[in-house]
Amino acid sequence: MSSGKDNKKQPGKNPGKNKQSPDAHGSAKQPGTAAGGQKQDGKTSGNEQQPNGASEEGRQTNSARAGEQLPGGASGGPDEPVISSGEKNRSGLGRRNMLKALAGVPVLGLFGVQVLRKLDYDDKHNARKQIVKELGLEDLPDVVKPIAKSGGHLIRIGVIGFGVRGTQLSESLGFMPKDKLEKALKNNASLSKARLETQLEFGNLDVAITGICDVFDLHAERGLDIARHDIFTGGEIARKHGVKRYLRYHDMLADPEIDAVIISTPDHHHARMTIDAVKAGKHVYCEKAVVHREDEIEPLYAAVKNSNVVFQHGHQYMQTTAFQQAREIVRRGMLGDISHMETTTNRNSVTGAWIRHLDSKGNPKPGDTKSIDWKQWLGKAPDVPFSIERYYGWARFFDYDTGLYGQLFSHEYDAVNQLLDVGIPKTVAATGGQYYYTDYYGQMPDVLHTNFEFPDKGYTLTYSANLTSSKNRPRTVYGRDASMTFGGELTLTPDGDSEKYADLLKRGLVDPSRPMIEIRQGASLDSALDAVTSASVQYYAARGLVSTNIGGKEWDPNHLHLREWIDCIRNGGTPSSGIEKAYPEAVTLAMADISYRENCRTRWNPVERKIERI
């Protein structure tokens, strides 16, 4: 193991591209080959969180970082197809002019919630209406689940890990410092304001954060301050029910005054803490990735499956309008037979590569052995001296995480699994390496490609990640009749050789060079995103994880996901990211992680429920 002498190239300088840096075990890291990245004799790194729960999702960083991926899906294309000048629609509008009129206007604007009920009776709107009708999508806005007010008996929540992610989830529950709340509500161009106004309108979820546990004194104190001020009563909830710090998470689990816990720590703690919480009878909301190593999968599944607790995995994309409409498009068979799903990650900054131990001025962030319980933070990981690089950049170390798989591919897999119920692949092969950030600490690859095969279902899934390019590559599903991109936006593009859309193609109503359906974000959301300085927020917005418009109101998907968990605790039912969704994800990520670290292909044995190296 490293003795705290990890290579530390300072952010802001060009990384050396001709040197291999020592890995966590002190040996030079070699680029991966064929089917498996680097050979490692250690562990993996993963969930996009800061120490003790600071997930990267929607992370507000200290300064603008140019170059990271911006929101948006595939849209536009070359000029309209050649149509006979003699062809006219019934109102006399030429086909060419009709298509020009269509090109600049989304078919289902503002996520399709309102526009179909507001069509004007001019020719271009009638033409759009004709396309929507012929595709059978007049009722697509109606598939989005309406949001009802929630509440009931009080649920007392403890938060384990109060870094950035723990802070975000607490705010999604309605707990925020007074000064931050006032500032957000004054900013008319802020996404936070729009989401907060919706949250205030729909009211308190009847929850109280009554416990904070974090190994870092600074984070724990911040957690106590946040829990003491809710956006609804200005602090009456905390004054009535109290909030206290727990030095060890076991003490929180043993307290009968805690009903449920949110686990937002580094990934190597997730499985053990979830199992312990379930045994203590606490309901669990656990951030992704739910496990760190393959030997944790079955014990975790058994513990949750054989309990009466409500378990929710920390993915929120299925709560969005874009996802619900994408799922309906697939259900109606509009893509035809699906052959391939393509998922990606593109970033281009040191913080996007989880090199985060310095502040915006280049100084080390706070934290030392006096303020951080380092032994407790290490947990099951090998004993190494305190390192500020490891503490803030833990996702780069295989001792604590699975790198890009747990941090970002977990979101991509969840999106396609929720959409298509892909389950566990038969085989996985990974390749890639650390080619650019070679002078920094840790083992996370900056280029990674992984192929997941599902022969029984007739399709494959690929994940392609590049931490040195911010070019947007949308999440895409390919079918024989059409392809669909879905994230913050949704597009449906016909295949030029489609049989299903042959008549529409022949008549020139649709064109394989451009989407025939575009479900775009509303103008207010676009302008708010333009004003956001954090490239990380832009990245997550493009993946559909930051905000969604339902019923004409802006919603925080995290809030909706937490709300679903709380409603199931009160009223019964199974949340959308329960253990049956978390299990195949855990297996799939472990198969990919092993393939990369051990330079091998992996195969799932469904009979013995184990991963085989091949």
Short mmCIF file of all heavy atoms in Angstrom, two decimals, residues 251-300:
data_model
loop_
_atom_site.label_atom_id
_atom_site.label_comp_id
_atom_site.label_asym_id
_atom_site.label_seq_id
_atom_site.Cartn_x
_atom_site.Cartn_y
_atom_site.Cartn_z
N ASP A 251 -24.13 3.96 16.69
CA ASP A 251 -24.89 4.63 17.75
C ASP A 251 -26.21 5.18 17.20
O ASP A 251 -27.24 5.12 17.88
CB ASP A 251 -24.06 5.76 18.36
CG ASP A 251 -22.78 5.25 19.01
OD1 ASP A 251 -22.78 4.09 19.48
OD2 ASP A 251 -21.78 6.00 19.02
N MET A 252 -26.18 5.69 15.98
CA MET A 252 -27.40 6.17 15.36
C MET A 252 -28.37 5.03 15.12
O MET A 252 -29.58 5.15 15.40
CB MET A 252 -27.08 6.87 14.03
CG MET A 252 -28.33 7.35 13.28
SD MET A 252 -27.95 8.07 11.66
CE MET A 252 -27.28 9.65 12.14
N LEU A 253 -27.87 3.91 14.63
CA LEU A 253 -28.74 2.77 14.34
C LEU A 253 -29.36 2.19 15.60
O LEU A 253 -30.46 1.61 15.56
CB LEU A 253 -27.96 1.68 13.59
CG LEU A 253 -27.39 2.08 12.23
CD1 LEU A 253 -26.67 0.89 11.60
CD2 LEU A 253 -28.48 2.59 11.29
N ALA A 254 -28.68 2.35 16.73
CA ALA A 254 -29.19 1.80 17.99
C ALA A 254 -30.22 2.72 18.65
O ALA A 254 -30.89 2.31 19.61
CB ALA A 254 -28.02 1.56 18.95
N ASP A 255 -30.39 3.92 18.12
CA ASP A 255 -31.29 4.90 18.73
C ASP A 255 -32.73 4.68 18.24
O ASP A 255 -33.00 4.79 17.04
CB ASP A 255 -30.83 6.31 18.36
CG ASP A 255 -31.54 7.38 19.18
OD1 ASP A 255 -32.63 7.10 19.73
OD2 ASP A 255 -31.01 8.51 19.26
N PRO A 256 -33.66 4.39 19.15
CA PRO A 256 -35.06 4.18 18.74
C PRO A 256 -35.73 5.45 18.25
O PRO A 256 -36.83 5.39 17.68
CB PRO A 256 -35.71 3.67 20.03
CG PRO A 256 -34.87 4.18 21.14
CD PRO A 256 -33.47 4.19 20.60
N GLU A 257 -35.09 6.61 18.44
CA GLU A 257 -35.65 7.87 17.97
C GLU A 257 -35.37 8.13 16.48
O GLU A 257 -35.75 9.17 15.95
CB GLU A 257 -35.09 9.03 18.80
CG GLU A 257 -35.41 8.94 20.28
CD GLU A 257 -36.91 8.97 20.55
OE1 GLU A 257 -37.58 9.87 20.00
OE2 GLU A 257 -37.40 8.09 21.27
N ILE A 258 -34.67 7.19 15.83
CA ILE A 258 -34.39 7.29 14.39
C ILE A 258 -35.22 6.22 13.67
O ILE A 258 -35.15 5.04 14.00
CB ILE A 258 -32.89 7.08 14.09
CG1 ILE A 258 -32.04 8.17 14.74
CG2 ILE A 258 -32.64 7.01 12.59
CD1 ILE A 258 -32.18 9.53 14.12
N ASP A 259 -36.01 6.64 12.68
CA ASP A 259 -36.85 5.70 11.93
C ASP A 259 -36.20 5.23 10.63
O ASP A 259 -36.45 4.11 10.17
CB ASP A 259 -38.19 6.36 11.56
CG ASP A 259 -38.95 6.84 12.78
OD1 ASP A 259 -39.11 6.04 13.73
OD2 ASP A 259 -39.38 8.02 12.79
N ALA A 260 -35.41 6.08 10.00
CA ALA A 260 -34.86 5.78 8.69
C ALA A 260 -33.53 6.50 8.53
O ALA A 260 -33.27 7.51 9.20
CB ALA A 260 -35.82 6.22 7.59
N VAL A 261 -32.68 5.97 7.65
CA VAL A 261 -31.37 6.59 7.45
C VAL A 261 -31.11 6.81 5.96
O VAL A 261 -31.55 6.03 5.11
CB VAL A 261 -30.22 5.75 8.05
CG1 VAL A 261 -30.34 5.70 9.57
CG2 VAL A 261 -30.17 4.35 7.45
N ILE A 262 -30.38 7.87 5.69
CA ILE A 262 -29.83 8.14 4.36
C ILE A 262 -28.33 7.87 4.44
O ILE A 262 -27.65 8.45 5.29
CB ILE A 262 -30.09 9.60 3.93
CG1 ILE A 262 -31.58 9.83 3.70
CG2 ILE A 262 -29.29 9.94 2.68
CD1 ILE A 262 -31.93 11.29 3.45
N ILE A 263 -27.84 7.00 3.59
CA ILE A 263 -26.41 6.64 3.58
C ILE A 263 -25.76 7.32 2.37
O ILE A 263 -26.03 6.97 1.22
CB ILE A 263 -26.22 5.11 3.52
CG1 ILE A 263 -26.86 4.46 4.76
CG2 ILE A 263 -24.74 4.75 3.41
CD1 ILE A 263 -26.89 2.94 4.71
N SER A 264 -24.93 8.30 2.64
CA SER A 264 -24.29 9.07 1.57
C SER A 264 -22.80 9.23 1.87
O SER A 264 -22.25 10.32 1.86
CB SER A 264 -24.95 10.44 1.41
OG SER A 264 -25.13 11.07 2.66
N THR A 265 -22.16 8.12 2.14
CA THR A 265 -20.74 8.03 2.45
C THR A 265 -19.97 7.61 1.21
O THR A 265 -20.56 7.29 0.18
CB THR A 265 -20.51 6.98 3.54
OG1 THR A 265 -20.92 5.70 3.01
CG2 THR A 265 -21.31 7.27 4.79
N PRO A 266 -18.63 7.53 1.28
CA PRO A 266 -17.89 6.87 0.20
C PRO A 266 -18.39 5.44 -0.01
O PRO A 266 -18.86 4.77 0.93
CB PRO A 266 -16.45 6.91 0.69
CG PRO A 266 -16.39 8.14 1.54
CD PRO A 266 -17.71 8.17 2.25
N ASP A 267 -18.24 4.93 -1.23
CA ASP A 267 -18.90 3.69 -1.63
C ASP A 267 -18.48 2.45 -0.83
O ASP A 267 -19.26 1.52 -0.69
CB ASP A 267 -18.63 3.43 -3.11
CG ASP A 267 -19.37 4.39 -4.01
OD1 ASP A 267 -19.88 5.40 -3.50
OD2 ASP A 267 -19.43 4.14 -5.23
N HIS A 268 -17.25 2.42 -0.35
CA HIS A 268 -16.79 1.20 0.32
C HIS A 268 -17.50 0.97 1.65
O HIS A 268 -17.38 -0.12 2.23
CB HIS A 268 -15.27 1.20 0.50
CG HIS A 268 -14.73 2.22 1.46
ND1 HIS A 268 -14.87 3.58 1.28
CD2 HIS A 268 -14.03 2.07 2.63
CE1 HIS A 268 -14.28 4.22 2.28
NE2 HIS A 268 -13.77 3.33 3.11
N HIS A 269 -18.29 1.94 2.11
CA HIS A 269 -19.08 1.76 3.33
C HIS A 269 -20.52 1.34 3.05
O HIS A 269 -21.22 0.90 3.98
CB HIS A 269 -19.13 3.09 4.11
CG HIS A 269 -17.83 3.50 4.73
ND1 HIS A 269 -17.24 2.80 5.75
CD2 HIS A 269 -17.01 4.56 4.47
CE1 HIS A 269 -16.11 3.40 6.11
NE2 HIS A 269 -15.95 4.46 5.34
N HIS A 270 -21.00 1.49 1.84
CA HIS A 270 -22.43 1.39 1.55
C HIS A 270 -23.04 0.05 1.96
O HIS A 270 -24.08 0.00 2.63
CB HIS A 270 -22.70 1.64 0.07
CG HIS A 270 -22.57 3.08 -0.30
ND1 HIS A 270 -22.75 3.53 -1.60
CD2 HIS A 270 -22.27 4.18 0.43
CE1 HIS A 270 -22.57 4.84 -1.63
NE2 HIS A 270 -22.26 5.26 -0.42
N ALA A 271 -22.45 -1.04 1.52
CA ALA A 271 -23.05 -2.36 1.77
C ALA A 271 -23.11 -2.66 3.26
O ALA A 271 -24.15 -3.08 3.78
CB ALA A 271 -22.27 -3.44 1.02
N ARG A 272 -21.99 -2.48 3.97
CA ARG A 272 -21.96 -2.81 5.40
C ARG A 272 -22.94 -1.95 6.18
O ARG A 272 -23.68 -2.45 7.05
CB ARG A 272 -20.54 -2.58 5.94
CG ARG A 272 -20.34 -2.92 7.41
CD ARG A 272 -20.36 -4.43 7.62
NE ARG A 272 -21.67 -4.91 8.04
CZ ARG A 272 -22.03 -6.17 7.98
NH1 ARG A 272 -21.21 -7.08 7.49
NH2 ARG A 272 -23.22 -6.56 8.38
N MET A 273 -23.00 -0.66 5.88
CA MET A 273 -23.92 0.22 6.59
C MET A 273 -25.37 -0.13 6.28
O MET A 273 -26.22 -0.09 7.19
CB MET A 273 -23.65 1.68 6.21
CG MET A 273 -22.37 2.23 6.80
SD MET A 273 -22.12 3.97 6.34
CE MET A 273 -20.66 4.36 7.32
N THR A 274 -25.67 -0.48 5.04
CA THR A 274 -27.04 -0.86 4.69
C THR A 274 -27.45 -2.13 5.42
O THR A 274 -28.56 -2.20 5.98
CB THR A 274 -27.16 -1.07 3.17
OG1 THR A 274 -26.88 0.17 2.50
CG2 THR A 274 -28.55 -1.54 2.79
N ILE A 275 -26.60 -3.12 5.43
CA ILE A 275 -26.91 -4.38 6.14
C ILE A 275 -27.14 -4.12 7.62
O ILE A 275 -28.10 -4.61 8.22
CB ILE A 275 -25.77 -5.40 5.93
CG1 ILE A 275 -25.73 -5.85 4.46
CG2 ILE A 275 -25.95 -6.60 6.85
CD1 ILE A 275 -24.52 -6.69 4.10
N ASP A 276 -26.26 -3.32 8.22
CA ASP A 276 -26.41 -3.02 9.65
C ASP A 276 -27.70 -2.23 9.92
O ASP A 276 -28.39 -2.47 10.93
CB ASP A 276 -25.21 -2.21 10.15
CG ASP A 276 -23.93 -3.05 10.21
OD1 ASP A 276 -24.03 -4.30 10.17
OD2 ASP A 276 -22.84 -2.45 10.28
N ALA A 277 -28.04 -1.32 9.03
CA ALA A 277 -29.26 -0.53 9.21
C ALA A 277 -30.50 -1.41 9.10
O ALA A 277 -31.45 -1.26 9.88
CB ALA A 277 -29.31 0.60 8.18
N VAL A 278 -30.50 -2.30 8.13
CA VAL A 278 -31.63 -3.22 7.95
C VAL A 278 -31.79 -4.10 9.19
O VAL A 278 -32.91 -4.31 9.68
CB VAL A 278 -31.43 -4.07 6.68
CG1 VAL A 278 -32.44 -5.21 6.64
CG2 VAL A 278 -31.55 -3.20 5.44
N LYS A 279 -30.69 -4.61 9.71
CA LYS A 279 -30.76 -5.45 10.91
C LYS A 279 -31.28 -4.66 12.11
O LYS A 279 -31.91 -5.24 13.01
CB LYS A 279 -29.37 -6.02 11.22
CG LYS A 279 -28.92 -7.09 10.23
CD LYS A 279 -27.54 -7.64 10.59
CE LYS A 279 -27.13 -8.76 9.63
NZ LYS A 279 -25.77 -9.28 9.95
N ALA A 280 -31.03 -3.36 12.11
CA ALA A 280 -31.52 -2.51 13.20
C ALA A 280 -32.96 -2.07 12.97
O ALA A 280 -33.53 -1.34 13.80
CB ALA A 280 -30.62 -1.30 13.35
N GLY A 281 -33.55 -2.49 11.85
CA GLY A 281 -34.95 -2.15 11.56
C GLY A 281 -35.16 -0.75 11.01
O GLY A 281 -36.29 -0.24 11.05
N LYS A 282 -34.10 -0.14 10.46
CA LYS A 282 -34.22 1.20 9.90
C LYS A 282 -34.48 1.13 8.39
O LYS A 282 -33.86 0.33 7.68
CB LYS A 282 -32.94 2.02 10.14
CG LYS A 282 -32.43 1.99 11.57
CD LYS A 282 -33.42 2.56 12.58
CE LYS A 282 -32.81 2.57 13.98
NZ LYS A 282 -33.78 3.00 15.00
N HIS A 283 -35.38 1.95 7.91
CA HIS A 283 -35.57 2.08 6.47
C HIS A 283 -34.32 2.76 5.88
O HIS A 283 -33.69 3.58 6.54
CB HIS A 283 -36.81 2.90 6.16
CG HIS A 283 -38.06 2.33 6.77
ND1 HIS A 283 -38.64 1.17 6.33
CD2 HIS A 283 -38.82 2.76 7.81
CE1 HIS A 283 -39.71 0.91 7.04
NE2 HIS A 283 -39.85 1.85 7.96
N VAL A 284 -33.99 2.41 4.63
CA VAL A 284 -32.70 2.84 4.07
C VAL A 284 -32.87 3.49 2.70
O VAL A 284 -33.52 2.94 1.81
CB VAL A 284 -31.74 1.63 3.93
CG1 VAL A 284 -30.42 2.08 3.28
CG2 VAL A 284 -31.48 0.99 5.28
N TYR A 285 -32.25 4.66 2.55
CA TYR A 285 -32.02 5.28 1.26
C TYR A 285 -30.51 5.29 1.08
O TYR A 285 -29.79 6.00 1.79
CB TYR A 285 -32.56 6.71 1.24
CG TYR A 285 -32.45 7.43 -0.09
CD1 TYR A 285 -33.56 7.61 -0.90
CD2 TYR A 285 -31.23 7.93 -0.54
CE1 TYR A 285 -33.48 8.28 -2.12
CE2 TYR A 285 -31.13 8.60 -1.75
CZ TYR A 285 -32.27 8.78 -2.53
OH TYR A 285 -32.17 9.43 -3.74
N CYS A 286 -29.99 4.46 0.17
CA CYS A 286 -28.55 4.32 0.00
C CYS A 286 -28.13 4.86 -1.36
O CYS A 286 -28.65 4.45 -2.40
CB CYS A 286 -28.12 2.85 0.13
SG CYS A 286 -26.33 2.61 -0.02
N GLU A 287 -27.15 5.75 -1.34
CA GLU A 287 -26.63 6.29 -2.57
C GLU A 287 -25.95 5.21 -3.40
O GLU A 287 -25.53 4.17 -2.89
CB GLU A 287 -25.63 7.42 -2.28
CG GLU A 287 -26.26 8.79 -2.25
CD GLU A 287 -26.91 9.16 -3.56
OE1 GLU A 287 -26.30 8.93 -4.63
OE2 GLU A 287 -28.03 9.68 -3.54
N LYS A 288 -25.85 5.46 -4.70
CA LYS A 288 -25.12 4.55 -5.56
C LYS A 288 -23.62 4.74 -5.35
O LYS A 288 -23.20 5.82 -4.90
CB LYS A 288 -25.52 4.78 -7.03
CG LYS A 288 -25.46 6.23 -7.50
CD LYS A 288 -24.09 6.64 -7.94
CE LYS A 288 -24.02 8.08 -8.38
NZ LYS A 288 -22.65 8.55 -8.56
N ALA A 289 -22.79 3.75 -5.62
CA ALA A 289 -23.13 2.37 -5.94
C ALA A 289 -23.38 1.62 -4.63
O ALA A 289 -22.74 1.88 -3.61
CB ALA A 289 -22.01 1.71 -6.71
N VAL A 290 -24.30 0.67 -4.69
CA VAL A 290 -24.74 0.05 -3.45
C VAL A 290 -23.71 -0.91 -2.87
O VAL A 290 -23.72 -1.19 -1.67
CB VAL A 290 -26.09 -0.65 -3.68
CG1 VAL A 290 -25.94 -1.92 -4.48
CG2 VAL A 290 -26.81 -0.90 -2.37
N VAL A 291 -22.81 -1.44 -3.69
CA VAL A 291 -21.73 -2.29 -3.18
C VAL A 291 -20.40 -1.82 -3.75
O VAL A 291 -20.34 -1.13 -4.77
CB VAL A 291 -21.93 -3.78 -3.52
CG1 VAL A 291 -23.24 -4.29 -2.95
CG2 VAL A 291 -21.85 -4.03 -5.02
N HIS A 292 -19.33 -2.28 -3.12
CA HIS A 292 -17.97 -1.98 -3.57
C HIS A 292 -17.31 -3.21 -4.16
O HIS A 292 -16.59 -3.11 -5.16
CB HIS A 292 -17.16 -1.48 -2.36
CG HIS A 292 -15.72 -1.20 -2.66
ND1 HIS A 292 -14.71 -1.56 -1.79
CD2 HIS A 292 -15.10 -0.60 -3.72
CE1 HIS A 292 -13.54 -1.19 -2.30
NE2 HIS A 292 -13.75 -0.60 -3.46
N ARG A 293 -17.58 -4.39 -3.61
CA ARG A 293 -16.97 -5.64 -4.05
C ARG A 293 -18.02 -6.73 -4.23
O ARG A 293 -19.07 -6.71 -3.59
CB ARG A 293 -15.90 -6.09 -3.07
CG ARG A 293 -14.63 -5.26 -3.12
CD ARG A 293 -13.87 -5.54 -4.42
NE ARG A 293 -12.70 -4.67 -4.53
CZ ARG A 293 -12.66 -3.55 -5.21
NH1 ARG A 293 -13.76 -3.14 -5.84
NH2 ARG A 293 -11.56 -2.83 -5.29
N GLU A 294 -17.70 -7.70 -5.05
CA GLU A 294 -18.65 -8.74 -5.41
C GLU A 294 -19.12 -9.57 -4.21
O GLU A 294 -20.25 -10.05 -4.17
CB GLU A 294 -18.07 -9.67 -6.47
CG GLU A 294 -16.81 -10.40 -6.02
CD GLU A 294 -16.23 -11.30 -7.09
OE1 GLU A 294 -16.99 -12.10 -7.68
OE2 GLU A 294 -15.02 -11.19 -7.35
N ASP A 295 -18.25 -9.73 -3.19
CA ASP A 295 -18.64 -10.55 -2.04
C ASP A 295 -19.67 -9.87 -1.15
O ASP A 295 -20.19 -10.48 -0.20
CB ASP A 295 -17.41 -10.97 -1.22
CG ASP A 295 -16.63 -9.78 -0.66
OD1 ASP A 295 -17.04 -8.62 -0.88
OD2 ASP A 295 -15.59 -10.01 -0.02
N GLU A 296 -20.01 -8.62 -1.44
CA GLU A 296 -21.03 -7.91 -0.66
C GLU A 296 -22.43 -8.04 -1.26
O GLU A 296 -23.41 -7.73 -0.60
CB GLU A 296 -20.67 -6.42 -0.57
CG GLU A 296 -19.35 -6.13 0.12
CD GLU A 296 -18.92 -4.68 -0.02
OE1 GLU A 296 -19.20 -4.07 -1.08
OE2 GLU A 296 -18.30 -4.15 0.93
N ILE A 297 -22.51 -8.50 -2.50
CA ILE A 297 -23.78 -8.45 -3.23
C ILE A 297 -24.84 -9.35 -2.60
O ILE A 297 -25.95 -8.90 -2.28
CB ILE A 297 -23.57 -8.84 -4.71
CG1 ILE A 297 -22.64 -7.84 -5.38
CG2 ILE A 297 -24.92 -8.87 -5.44
CD1 ILE A 297 -22.22 -8.23 -6.81
N GLU A 298 -24.54 -10.63 -2.44
CA GLU A 298 -25.54 -11.57 -1.93
C GLU A 298 -25.93 -11.28 -0.48
O GLU A 298 -27.13 -11.33 -0.15
CB GLU A 298 -25.04 -13.01 -2.08
CG GLU A 298 -24.87 -13.47 -3.53
CD GLU A 298 -26.16 -13.41 -4.33
OE1 GLU A 298 -27.26 -13.53 -3.74
OE2 GLU A 298 -26.08 -13.25 -5.57
N PRO A 299 -24.98 -10.99 0.43
CA PRO A 299 -25.39 -10.63 1.80
C PRO A 299 -26.30 -9.41 1.85
O PRO A 299 -27.26 -9.38 2.63
CB PRO A 299 -24.06 -10.37 2.52
CG PRO A 299 -23.06 -11.18 1.76
CD PRO A 299 -23.51 -11.11 0.33
N LEU A 300 -26.01 -8.41 1.04
CA LEU A 300 -26.86 -7.21 1.01
C LEU A 300 -28.26 -7.57 0.51
O LEU A 300 -29.27 -7.17 1.12
CB LEU A 300 -26.24 -6.15 0.10
CG LEU A 300 -27.11 -4.92 -0.14
CD1 LEU A 300 -27.06 -4.01 1.08
CD2 LEU A 300 -26.70 -4.17 -1.38
#
